[in-house]
Amino acid sequence: ADAERESPDQPIGALRVAGEPIALRIDEPQRRVEHVLTADERRRRERGQSVYTERWDYVWSGRLRLQIDDPPFSYSKRTWQDGKRQRLEDQIRDILTGLYNLSLHLKARREEHERWERARREEERLAAERSKRREAEVKLIELLERQAGAWFRARLLHRYVRAASRVLGEERIL
């Protein structure tokens, strides 16, 4: 896993594992405990002053947590943390294995998405080609219909002229 940012697309705080950027976050969770009045708050209450306090205080747990930050899908939501039996630093092998497996899964998902995108673009190209072909066929049909109409009118006029010639004989129309 390279700790350096290899591309501008890789988020800050990400490791590149098997070519896939994986964003990580390390934090120390807080725990909620009931608020205990401070000496100042007790004195003010004893004097009869109104003292507003939050019901809860939040204190640091003293346990570290490493988690994959903003995964693109739920499979990769993974967290490792200090526990009662095992500290975070003792889980390095599991963490590296988990990151490697996740990178393989991310790579497979990305490749599947790229295949889907290629197929979608090819389908769009074929649809555009079919549309162009339909438009060309419509224009050809319109042209053929105009030509057939002109041919029919020409035949009709030719018959008319022959019939008129027979009836008029040597006489001229104009």
Side-chain angles (χ1 to χ4, degrees):
D2 294 332
E4 295 179 22
R5 290 184 68 200
E6 294 182 8
S7 74
D9 297 336
Q10 182 172 335
I12 295 174
L15 294 177
R16 191 167 286 279
V17 180
E20 296 297 320
I22 299 175
L24 299 173
R25 181 175 62 200
I26 298 176
D27 64 0
E28 178 183 355
Q30 293 183 331
R31 54 190 174 90
R32 186 175 76 170
V33 295
E34 272 201 59
H35 178 71
V36 177
L37 291 175
T38 64
D40 181 50
E41 290 169 341
R42 271 196 305 277
R43 274 194 309 273
R44 288 185 12 221
R45 270 206 182 152
E46 289 169 358
R47 286 188 226 142
Q49 294 177 338
S50 176
V51 177
Y52 172 78
T53 61
E54 296 287 337
R55 179 170 180 199
W56 305 105
D57 287 330
Y58 293 90
V59 296
W60 296 109
S61 66
R63 295 178 7 209
L64 284 179
R65 177 172 59 188
L66 171 73
Q67 67 187 86
I68 296 167
D69 196 24
D70 296 326
F73 41 90
S74 62
Y75 170 82
S76 63
K77 185 67 173 172
R78 188 69 203 270
T79 301
W80 297 271
Q81 59 189 350
D82 286 336
K84 293 178 183 177
R85 296 184 188 141
Q86 198 173 26
R87 308 278 304 159
L88 184 63
E89 55 268 21
D90 298 330
Q91 301 176 52
I92 297 296
R93 178 179 295 228
D94 293 340
I95 293 169
L96 293 176
T97 301
L99 291 174
Y100 182 72
N101 289 337
L102 173 61
S103 72
L104 295 178
H105 185 73
L106 289 171
K107 186 177 297 221
R109 285 288 296 248
R110 182 178 42 77
E111 289 170 353
E112 177 62 30
H113 180 71
E114 288 170 357
R115 275 193 299 276
W116 179 84
E117 269 298 313
R118 280 193 302 273
R120 185 189 61 77
R121 282 193 303 270
E122 178 64 13
E123 183 56 39
E124 284 178 353
R125 185 188 68 74
L126 291 173
E129 203 173 276
R130 284 190 300 268
S131 176
K132 234 187 241 184
R133 198 175 317 123
R134 274 193 301 273
E135 287 174 15
E137 288 171 356
V138 165
K139 286 181 182 178
L140 177 62
I141 288 170
E142 289 172 353
L143 174 66
L144 291 174
E145 286 176 344
R146 278 194 310 270
Q147 289 176 348
W151 177 76
F152 183 74
R153 279 190 308 279
R155 281 185 50 204
L156 193 62
L157 286 173
H158 183 68
R159 283 185 186 162
Y160 176 77
V161 168
R162 269 197 333 222
S165 295
R166 274 194 307 261
V167 168
L168 291 175
E170 295 294 321
E171 223 180 291
R172 293 194 53 102
I173 299 173
L174 295 176

